[in-house]
């Protein structure tokens, strides 16, 4: 799993370079965020679909990536 900061910062073309893996990571992140706090996840989705998909927008709606990443990795491992 790449660092979350790097993953979230990928351009669309970079995302497609390894689409299978990146879609799996994106799916897992969405499930994690929705389960963690649906309201903040929906706030991020709104911004995303408005075309505001930067790491800054992610952090403003969901929280700081460096604080979220350990929680996400633990969740992936079932801890």
């Amino acid at each position: 799993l790449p660092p979350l900061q790097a993953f979230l910062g990928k351009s669309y073309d970079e995302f497609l370079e390894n689409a299978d893996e990146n879609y799996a990571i994106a799916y897992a992140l969405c499930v994690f965020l929705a389960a963690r706090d649906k309201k903040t996840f929906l706030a991020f989705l709104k911004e995303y679909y408005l075309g505001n998909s930067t790491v800054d927008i992610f952090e403003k709606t969901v929280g700081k990536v460096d604080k979220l990443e350990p929680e996400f990795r633990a969740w992936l491992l079932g801890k």
Side-chain angles (χ1 to χ4, degrees), residues 1 4 28-29 31-38 40 58 62-79:
L1 186 65
L4 200 50
L29 183 59
V31 171
F32 165 74
L33 293 172
R36 182 176 177 262
D37 186 336
K38 189 175 182 178
T40 59
F58 181 89
V62 176
K64 294 290 183 185
V65 172
D66 61 339
K67 292 185 178 182
L68 183 73
E69 184 160 5
E71 188 181 341
F72 176 54
R73 289 180 178 273
W75 179 84
L76 282 172
L77 296 172
K79 295 180 180 181

mmCIF file of all heavy atoms in Angstrom, residues 1 4 28-29 31-38 40 58 62-79:
data_model
loop_
_atom_site.group_PDB
_atom_site.id
_atom_site.type_symbol
_atom_site.label_atom_id
_atom_site.label_comp_id
_atom_site.label_asym_id
_atom_site.label_seq_id
_atom_site.Cartn_x
_atom_site.Cartn_y
_atom_site.Cartn_z
ATOM 1 N N LEU A 1 0.846 -1.181 0.000
ATOM 2 C CA LEU A 1 0.000 0.000 0.000
ATOM 3 C C LEU A 1 0.887 1.238 0.000
ATOM 4 O O LEU A 1 1.750 1.376 0.856
ATOM 5 C CB LEU A 1 -0.902 -0.025 1.229
ATOM 6 C CG LEU A 1 -1.967 1.035 1.368
ATOM 7 C CD1 LEU A 1 -3.012 0.901 0.271
ATOM 8 C CD2 LEU A 1 -2.653 0.917 2.701
ATOM 9 N N LEU A 4 -0.644 7.154 2.000
ATOM 10 C CA LEU A 4 -1.938 7.736 1.667
ATOM 11 C C LEU A 4 -1.788 9.125 1.040
ATOM 12 O O LEU A 4 -2.513 9.468 0.114
ATOM 13 C CB LEU A 4 -2.808 7.798 2.926
ATOM 14 C CG LEU A 4 -4.299 7.935 2.761
ATOM 15 C CD1 LEU A 4 -4.875 6.930 1.779
ATOM 16 C CD2 LEU A 4 -4.987 7.792 4.109
ATOM 17 N N ALA A 28 -11.552 0.605 -0.836
ATOM 18 C CA ALA A 28 -11.339 0.335 0.588
ATOM 19 C C ALA A 28 -11.362 1.629 1.390
ATOM 20 O O ALA A 28 -11.949 1.686 2.475
ATOM 21 C CB ALA A 28 -10.012 -0.398 0.792
ATOM 22 N N LEU A 29 -10.759 2.677 0.865
ATOM 23 C CA LEU A 29 -10.748 3.966 1.566
ATOM 24 C C LEU A 29 -12.161 4.517 1.703
ATOM 25 O O LEU A 29 -12.542 5.022 2.764
ATOM 26 C CB LEU A 29 -9.838 4.950 0.843
ATOM 27 C CG LEU A 29 -9.664 6.319 1.489
ATOM 28 C CD1 LEU A 29 -9.091 6.194 2.905
ATOM 29 C CD2 LEU A 29 -8.765 7.195 0.615
ATOM 30 N N VAL A 31 -15.014 2.785 1.775
ATOM 31 C CA VAL A 31 -15.742 1.968 2.752
ATOM 32 C C VAL A 31 -15.308 2.353 4.172
ATOM 33 O O VAL A 31 -16.137 2.529 5.067
ATOM 34 C CB VAL A 31 -15.521 0.463 2.494
ATOM 35 C CG1 VAL A 31 -16.094 -0.382 3.623
ATOM 36 C CG2 VAL A 31 -16.144 0.056 1.156
ATOM 37 N N PHE A 32 -14.013 2.508 4.369
ATOM 38 C CA PHE A 32 -13.477 2.899 5.672
ATOM 39 C C PHE A 32 -14.033 4.256 6.106
ATOM 40 O O PHE A 32 -14.514 4.414 7.236
ATOM 41 C CB PHE A 32 -11.945 2.947 5.603
ATOM 42 C CG PHE A 32 -11.301 3.661 6.749
ATOM 43 C CD1 PHE A 32 -11.225 3.079 7.996
ATOM 44 C CD2 PHE A 32 -10.769 4.927 6.570
ATOM 45 C CE1 PHE A 32 -10.630 3.747 9.060
ATOM 46 C CE2 PHE A 32 -10.170 5.602 7.620
ATOM 47 C CZ PHE A 32 -10.104 5.009 8.873
ATOM 48 N N LEU A 33 -13.975 5.233 5.213
ATOM 49 C CA LEU A 33 -14.436 6.579 5.561
ATOM 50 C C LEU A 33 -15.931 6.615 5.843
ATOM 51 O O LEU A 33 -16.376 7.290 6.773
ATOM 52 C CB LEU A 33 -14.081 7.565 4.449
ATOM 53 C CG LEU A 33 -12.596 7.836 4.254
ATOM 54 C CD1 LEU A 33 -12.377 8.676 3.000
ATOM 55 C CD2 LEU A 33 -11.985 8.491 5.476
ATOM 56 N N ALA A 34 -16.716 5.889 5.062
ATOM 57 C CA ALA A 34 -18.165 5.862 5.268
ATOM 58 C C ALA A 34 -18.509 5.201 6.599
ATOM 59 O O ALA A 34 -19.417 5.642 7.306
ATOM 60 C CB ALA A 34 -18.851 5.142 4.119
ATOM 61 N N ALA A 35 -17.784 4.153 6.948
ATOM 62 C CA ALA A 35 -18.030 3.462 8.217
ATOM 63 C C ALA A 35 -17.555 4.304 9.405
ATOM 64 O O ALA A 35 -18.164 4.278 10.472
ATOM 65 C CB ALA A 35 -17.316 2.106 8.221
ATOM 66 N N ARG A 36 -16.499 5.052 9.201
ATOM 67 C CA ARG A 36 -15.900 5.859 10.269
ATOM 68 C C ARG A 36 -16.783 7.056 10.622
ATOM 69 O O ARG A 36 -17.023 7.336 11.787
ATOM 70 C CB ARG A 36 -14.527 6.333 9.798
ATOM 71 C CG ARG A 36 -13.752 7.147 10.786
ATOM 72 C CD ARG A 36 -12.373 7.447 10.178
ATOM 73 N NE ARG A 36 -11.597 8.293 11.037
ATOM 74 C CZ ARG A 36 -11.489 9.607 10.884
ATOM 75 N NH1 ARG A 36 -12.120 10.208 9.887
ATOM 76 N NH2 ARG A 36 -10.748 10.311 11.708
ATOM 77 N N ASP A 37 -17.234 7.781 9.601
ATOM 78 C CA ASP A 37 -18.055 8.970 9.831
ATOM 79 C C ASP A 37 -18.750 9.331 8.527
ATOM 80 O O ASP A 37 -18.163 9.994 7.668
ATOM 81 C CB ASP A 37 -17.200 10.125 10.333
ATOM 82 C CG ASP A 37 -18.013 11.341 10.732
ATOM 83 O OD1 ASP A 37 -19.151 11.510 10.229
ATOM 84 O OD2 ASP A 37 -17.521 12.138 11.547
ATOM 85 N N LYS A 38 -19.977 8.906 8.397
ATOM 86 C CA LYS A 38 -20.705 9.087 7.143
ATOM 87 C C LYS A 38 -20.841 10.561 6.759
ATOM 88 O O LYS A 38 -20.727 10.924 5.589
ATOM 89 C CB LYS A 38 -22.078 8.428 7.245
ATOM 90 C CG LYS A 38 -22.814 8.372 5.937
ATOM 91 C CD LYS A 38 -24.107 7.590 6.085
ATOM 92 C CE LYS A 38 -24.828 7.495 4.768
ATOM 93 N NZ LYS A 38 -26.050 6.700 4.871
ATOM 94 N N THR A 40 -18.836 13.200 7.355
ATOM 95 C CA THR A 40 -17.621 13.772 6.767
ATOM 96 C C THR A 40 -17.305 13.126 5.423
ATOM 97 O O THR A 40 -16.818 13.799 4.514
ATOM 98 C CB THR A 40 -16.408 13.647 7.703
ATOM 99 O OG1 THR A 40 -16.170 12.282 7.999
ATOM 100 C CG2 THR A 40 -16.599 14.430 8.973
ATOM 101 N N PHE A 58 -9.533 17.107 0.890
ATOM 102 C CA PHE A 58 -9.685 15.869 1.664
ATOM 103 C C PHE A 58 -9.451 16.156 3.142
ATOM 104 O O PHE A 58 -10.233 15.755 3.996
ATOM 105 C CB PHE A 58 -8.709 14.799 1.161
ATOM 106 C CG PHE A 58 -8.812 13.490 1.891
ATOM 107 C CD1 PHE A 58 -9.700 12.520 1.459
ATOM 108 C CD2 PHE A 58 -8.034 13.226 2.998
ATOM 109 C CE1 PHE A 58 -9.813 11.305 2.124
ATOM 110 C CE2 PHE A 58 -8.129 12.024 3.671
ATOM 111 C CZ PHE A 58 -9.025 11.066 3.229
ATOM 112 N N VAL A 62 -12.310 15.556 5.755
ATOM 113 C CA VAL A 62 -12.172 14.263 6.440
ATOM 114 C C VAL A 62 -11.217 14.331 7.625
ATOM 115 O O VAL A 62 -11.463 13.737 8.664
ATOM 116 C CB VAL A 62 -11.713 13.170 5.442
ATOM 117 C CG1 VAL A 62 -11.478 11.854 6.140
ATOM 118 C CG2 VAL A 62 -12.735 13.004 4.331
ATOM 119 N N GLY A 63 -10.120 15.036 7.472
ATOM 120 C CA GLY A 63 -9.119 15.131 8.529
ATOM 121 C C GLY A 63 -7.723 15.000 7.947
ATOM 122 O O GLY A 63 -7.549 14.678 6.773
ATOM 123 N N LYS A 64 -6.743 15.263 8.765
ATOM 124 C CA LYS A 64 -5.344 15.221 8.337
ATOM 125 C C LYS A 64 -4.956 13.802 7.932
ATOM 126 O O LYS A 64 -5.230 12.837 8.649
ATOM 127 C CB LYS A 64 -4.416 15.709 9.444
ATOM 128 C CG LYS A 64 -4.593 17.178 9.776
ATOM 129 C CD LYS A 64 -4.091 18.029 8.643
ATOM 130 C CE LYS A 64 -4.181 19.502 8.948
ATOM 131 N NZ LYS A 64 -3.800 20.318 7.827
ATOM 132 N N VAL A 65 -4.308 13.707 6.789
ATOM 133 C CA VAL A 65 -3.921 12.407 6.241
ATOM 134 C C VAL A 65 -2.979 11.671 7.190
ATOM 135 O O VAL A 65 -3.139 10.476 7.416
ATOM 136 C CB VAL A 65 -3.271 12.567 4.843
ATOM 137 C CG1 VAL A 65 -2.697 11.258 4.347
ATOM 138 C CG2 VAL A 65 -4.288 13.109 3.866
ATOM 139 N N ASP A 66 -2.005 12.386 7.766
ATOM 140 C CA ASP A 66 -1.035 11.717 8.635
ATOM 141 C C ASP A 66 -1.676 11.138 9.892
ATOM 142 O O ASP A 66 -1.170 10.161 10.452
ATOM 143 C CB ASP A 66 0.124 12.642 8.984
ATOM 144 C CG ASP A 66 -0.287 13.892 9.738
ATOM 145 O OD1 ASP A 66 -1.476 14.281 9.674
ATOM 146 O OD2 ASP A 66 0.585 14.503 10.391
ATOM 147 N N LYS A 67 -2.784 11.676 10.324
ATOM 148 C CA LYS A 67 -3.496 11.127 11.485
ATOM 149 C C LYS A 67 -4.448 10.013 11.070
ATOM 150 O O LYS A 67 -4.705 9.085 11.835
ATOM 151 C CB LYS A 67 -4.258 12.225 12.220
ATOM 152 C CG LYS A 67 -3.338 13.220 12.892
ATOM 153 C CD LYS A 67 -4.103 14.223 13.705
ATOM 154 C CE LYS A 67 -3.110 15.157 14.384
ATOM 155 N NZ LYS A 67 -3.765 16.128 15.235
ATOM 156 N N LEU A 68 -4.972 10.100 9.862
ATOM 157 C CA LEU A 68 -5.927 9.114 9.369
ATOM 158 C C LEU A 68 -5.249 7.829 8.902
ATOM 159 O O LEU A 68 -5.795 6.741 9.059
ATOM 160 C CB LEU A 68 -6.722 9.729 8.215
ATOM 161 C CG LEU A 68 -7.820 8.882 7.612
ATOM 162 C CD1 LEU A 68 -8.997 8.801 8.577
ATOM 163 C CD2 LEU A 68 -8.261 9.452 6.290
ATOM 164 N N GLU A 69 -4.055 7.952 8.344
ATOM 165 C CA GLU A 69 -3.398 6.801 7.732
ATOM 166 C C GLU A 69 -3.198 5.613 8.677
ATOM 167 O O GLU A 69 -3.524 4.484 8.302
ATOM 168 C CB GLU A 69 -2.063 7.202 7.102
ATOM 169 C CG GLU A 69 -1.426 6.034 6.385
ATOM 170 C CD GLU A 69 -0.386 6.464 5.369
ATOM 171 O OE1 GLU A 69 -0.076 7.660 5.263
ATOM 172 O OE2 GLU A 69 0.086 5.584 4.654
ATOM 173 N N PRO A 70 -2.690 5.807 9.900
ATOM 174 C CA PRO A 70 -2.536 4.636 10.775
ATOM 175 C C PRO A 70 -3.867 3.941 11.078
ATOM 176 O O PRO A 70 -3.932 2.711 11.143
ATOM 177 C CB PRO A 70 -1.917 5.210 12.055
ATOM 178 C CG PRO A 70 -1.355 6.527 11.670
ATOM 179 C CD PRO A 70 -2.169 7.027 10.521
ATOM 180 N N GLU A 71 -4.901 4.728 11.235
ATOM 181 C CA GLU A 71 -6.233 4.173 11.489
ATOM 182 C C GLU A 71 -6.725 3.368 10.274
ATOM 183 O O GLU A 71 -7.283 2.271 10.422
ATOM 184 C CB GLU A 71 -7.203 5.318 11.798
ATOM 185 C CG GLU A 71 -8.553 4.876 12.266
ATOM 186 C CD GLU A 71 -9.487 6.049 12.548
ATOM 187 O OE1 GLU A 71 -9.022 7.200 12.727
ATOM 188 O OE2 GLU A 71 -10.706 5.807 12.566
ATOM 189 N N PHE A 72 -6.504 3.897 9.081
ATOM 190 C CA PHE A 72 -6.901 3.214 7.851
ATOM 191 C C PHE A 72 -6.122 1.913 7.685
ATOM 192 O O PHE A 72 -6.698 0.860 7.394
ATOM 193 C CB PHE A 72 -6.678 4.132 6.648
ATOM 194 C CG PHE A 72 -6.963 3.495 5.316
ATOM 195 C CD1 PHE A 72 -8.183 2.889 5.059
ATOM 196 C CD2 PHE A 72 -6.017 3.525 4.298
ATOM 197 C CE1 PHE A 72 -8.463 2.301 3.810
ATOM 198 C CE2 PHE A 72 -6.283 2.970 3.067
ATOM 199 C CZ PHE A 72 -7.499 2.349 2.822
ATOM 200 N N ARG A 73 -4.819 1.941 7.903
ATOM 201 C CA ARG A 73 -3.993 0.736 7.768
ATOM 202 C C ARG A 73 -4.410 -0.330 8.786
ATOM 203 O O ARG A 73 -4.478 -1.513 8.463
ATOM 204 C CB ARG A 73 -2.508 1.070 7.891
ATOM 205 C CG ARG A 73 -1.990 1.814 6.686
ATOM 206 C CD ARG A 73 -0.505 2.154 6.821
ATOM 207 N NE ARG A 73 -0.028 2.836 5.638
ATOM 208 C CZ ARG A 73 0.424 2.239 4.549
ATOM 209 N NH1 ARG A 73 0.461 0.935 4.486
ATOM 210 N NH2 ARG A 73 0.837 2.950 3.508
ATOM 211 N N ALA A 74 -4.685 0.085 10.006
ATOM 212 C CA ALA A 74 -5.145 -0.866 11.025
ATOM 213 C C ALA A 74 -6.485 -1.469 10.630
ATOM 214 O O ALA A 74 -6.715 -2.674 10.786
ATOM 215 C CB ALA A 74 -5.240 -0.180 12.384
ATOM 216 N N TRP A 75 -7.370 -0.646 10.110
ATOM 217 C CA TRP A 75 -8.681 -1.126 9.655
ATOM 218 C C TRP A 75 -8.521 -2.164 8.551
ATOM 219 O O TRP A 75 -9.189 -3.198 8.542
ATOM 220 C CB TRP A 75 -9.514 0.054 9.189
ATOM 221 C CG TRP A 75 -10.871 -0.298 8.663
ATOM 222 C CD1 TRP A 75 -12.000 -0.502 9.388
ATOM 223 C CD2 TRP A 75 -11.230 -0.476 7.285
ATOM 224 N NE1 TRP A 75 -13.053 -0.809 8.535
ATOM 225 C CE2 TRP A 75 -12.602 -0.802 7.246
ATOM 226 C CE3 TRP A 75 -10.531 -0.397 6.093
ATOM 227 C CZ2 TRP A 75 -13.278 -1.030 6.066
ATOM 228 C CZ3 TRP A 75 -11.201 -0.634 4.914
ATOM 229 C CH2 TRP A 75 -12.563 -0.943 4.908
ATOM 230 N N LEU A 76 -7.610 -1.898 7.611
ATOM 231 C CA LEU A 76 -7.366 -2.849 6.522
ATOM 232 C C LEU A 76 -6.895 -4.203 7.053
ATOM 233 O O LEU A 76 -7.228 -5.248 6.491
ATOM 234 C CB LEU A 76 -6.307 -2.300 5.558
ATOM 235 C CG LEU A 76 -6.770 -1.236 4.574
ATOM 236 C CD1 LEU A 76 -5.565 -0.668 3.822
ATOM 237 C CD2 LEU A 76 -7.794 -1.795 3.606
ATOM 238 N N LEU A 77 -6.136 -4.169 8.122
ATOM 239 C CA LEU A 77 -5.617 -5.407 8.714
ATOM 240 C C LEU A 77 -6.600 -6.051 9.697
ATOM 241 O O LEU A 77 -6.299 -7.083 10.286
ATOM 242 C CB LEU A 77 -4.285 -5.131 9.413
ATOM 243 C CG LEU A 77 -3.148 -4.685 8.495
ATOM 244 C CD1 LEU A 77 -1.948 -4.244 9.305
ATOM 245 C CD2 LEU A 77 -2.766 -5.800 7.524
ATOM 246 N N GLY A 78 -7.750 -5.415 9.875
ATOM 247 C CA GLY A 78 -8.762 -5.976 10.771
ATOM 248 C C GLY A 78 -8.463 -5.765 12.235
ATOM 249 O O GLY A 78 -8.931 -6.522 13.085
ATOM 250 N N LYS A 79 -7.687 -4.748 12.558
ATOM 251 C CA LYS A 79 -7.323 -4.483 13.947
ATOM 252 C C LYS A 79 -8.219 -3.448 14.564
ATOM 253 O O LYS A 79 -8.748 -2.596 13.961
ATOM 254 C CB LYS A 79 -5.869 -4.031 14.041
ATOM 255 C CG LYS A 79 -4.917 -5.118 13.614
ATOM 256 C CD LYS A 79 -3.499 -4.631 13.721
ATOM 257 C CE LYS A 79 -2.539 -5.738 13.280
ATOM 258 N NZ LYS A 79 -1.168 -5.342 13.369
#
